[in-house]
Amino acid sequence: MNPVIKISKTKSFLKKVLRNKKFNPEIVIITGSGLGGIRKKFEIIKTVKYEKIPFFAKATVSGHKGELVFCSYKGKDIIIVSGRVHYYEGHNAGEIIYPLRVLKALGVKTLISTAAVGALNKNYNPGDIVFIKDHINFTGNNPLIGGHFDEFGKRFPDIGSAYDAELRKFALKAAKQNKIKSREGIYFCVSGPSYETPAEVSAFRKLGGDVVGMSVVYEVIAAAQMGIKTLGISYVSNMAAGINKEALSHDDVLVLGKKAGAEISVIIEGVLGKIK
């Protein structure tokens, strides 16, 4: 089926879910591993599981609820994508960016993407908040490959400013005001799901990566194509392989995510207060 038609059908479904409610979302927040608690900051209007939404892929990773949360915060209508789907789950790139395509059709103009990352930069520490200023896509794929539809934007979009400088400025200020240690860094994206080898970590660091992860990049590329401004917020869940002798565990990612989530929530509140 033509993806534009699919998006229209999904949009109609979500509009019916929200019937009799004046809801005009302009902001979407995608939550990474262990970061679903952000929703507690907002007034929840409606929650819908992915499996009930036409053409949405199902999230299968622990720490990713797999639901859309329609909520409001100080007069702003917001949609939280509580748990993303990943390339390593067997989903194609089009399925991964499909929710964002739908939310753009609903009116979203700003994306706040959060994620857990491993530190490539030896000066970073677990728990550090890192605002993404650029990325390196090392997955061997791109979500814009395939048939093009003008409704999505340009065939060859410029993504040189995919991570919005003004939003990052707001985030840095919010972190400073709340005495939260934060950094700016380059996100190195791999396909996963295995963690990296020490040799790979060494190579990725030499290529310019500060942190490494298995998400974010596809949605940011699609957002740039559609003219959506993006703020990327990550937290260091662990030092990448070879930097120290500790074994890597997804359970550890989730535990630290709950702690980092509180700080990220404070930062997001500060950013939302600046978005007009």
Side-chain angles (χ1 to χ4, degrees):
M1 185 186 295
N2 182 312
V4 176
I5 296 174
K6 289 171 63 176
I7 288 168
S8 179
K9 288 180 178 293
T10 306
K11 176 184 175 182
S12 295
F13 169 83
L14 293 175
K15 284 284 190 181
K16 289 178 182 178
V17 167
L18 292 165
R19 60 183 178 274
N20 301 324
K21 294 181 175 65
K22 292 182 180 180
F23 192 85
N24 300 298
E26 293 193 1
I27 301 164
V28 55
I29 302 171
I30 299 179
T31 61
S33 296
L35 296 172
I38 289 172
R39 61 199 287 173
K40 295 177 182 178
K41 294 284 184 177
F42 309 130
E43 177 188 350
I44 297 175
I45 296 169
K46 191 79 175 180
T47 300
V48 189
K49 293 283 188 182
Y50 291 171
E51 48 260 47
K52 294 184 178 180
I53 304 174
F55 310 114
F56 264 49
K58 184 178 179 181
T60 64
V61 181
S62 177
H64 292 260
K65 278 182 172 291
E67 57 190 20
L68 288 187
V69 185
F70 298 85
C71 48
S72 65
Y73 178 81
K74 295 184 178 179
K76 292 182 173 69
D77 290 334
I78 299 167
I79 296 177
I80 298 176
V81 178
S82 187
R84 53 165 61 88
V85 295
H86 304 80
Y87 190 39
Y88 62 74
E89 293 175 76
H91 301 299
N92 64 50
E95 290 174 323
I96 292 167
I97 65 172
Y98 185 79
L100 191 59
R101 296 279 199 216
V102 172
L103 300 187
K104 170 63 176 178
L106 286 172
V108 162
K109 298 177 181 177
T110 301
L111 164 65
I112 299 175
S113 178
T114 70
V117 295
L120 300 172
N121 191 318
K122 293 182 179 180
N123 293 321
Y124 290 7
N125 296 293
D128 283 358
I129 304 298
V130 182
F131 301 119
I132 303 170
K133 62 180 180 181
D134 205 346
H135 72 235
I136 298 170
N137 180 6
F138 205 71
T139 67
N141 202 350
N142 187 298
L144 308 186
I145 290 174
H148 173 66
F149 298 86
D150 290 335
E151 290 87 345
F152 298 155
K154 296 179 180 179
R155 183 51 162 138
F156 303 102
D158 178 0
I159 62 170
S161 301
Y163 299 89
D164 189 77
E166 184 178 45
L167 290 175
R168 198 162 64 252
K169 178 182 175 182
F170 295 157
L172 285 163
K173 185 175 181 179
K176 184 177 181 180
Q177 288 176 335
N178 290 281
K179 298 180 180 179
I180 297 170
K181 184 179 180 180
S182 65
R183 306 173 182 272
E184 294 179 271
I186 307 296
Y187 184 102
F188 199 103
C189 187
V190 294
S191 64
S194 58
Y195 289 112
E196 305 72 37
T197 68
E200 288 172 335
V201 167
S202 178
F204 297 166
R205 188 165 53 245
K206 290 175 182 177
L207 287 172
D210 289 303
V211 295
V212 61
M214 306 171 190
S215 60
V216 176
V217 167
Y218 288 175
E219 61 209 33
V220 172
I221 291 173
Q225 183 192 39
M226 294 186 291
I228 296 174
K229 293 182 178 181
T230 296
L231 170 64
I233 309 177
S234 62
Y235 74 94
V236 176
S237 61
N238 56 271
M239 304 305 291
I243 295 178
N244 58 34
K245 295 182 180 181
E246 294 180 11
L248 303 181
S249 163
H250 186 64
D251 289 338
D252 293 338
V253 172
L254 298 181
V255 170
L256 192 55
K258 292 180 180 179
K259 296 179 181 179
E263 292 185 334
I264 290 175
S265 295
V266 169
I267 292 168
I268 288 177
E269 284 186 276
V271 172
L272 293 177
K274 295 290 186 179
I275 296 175
K276 298 180 180 179

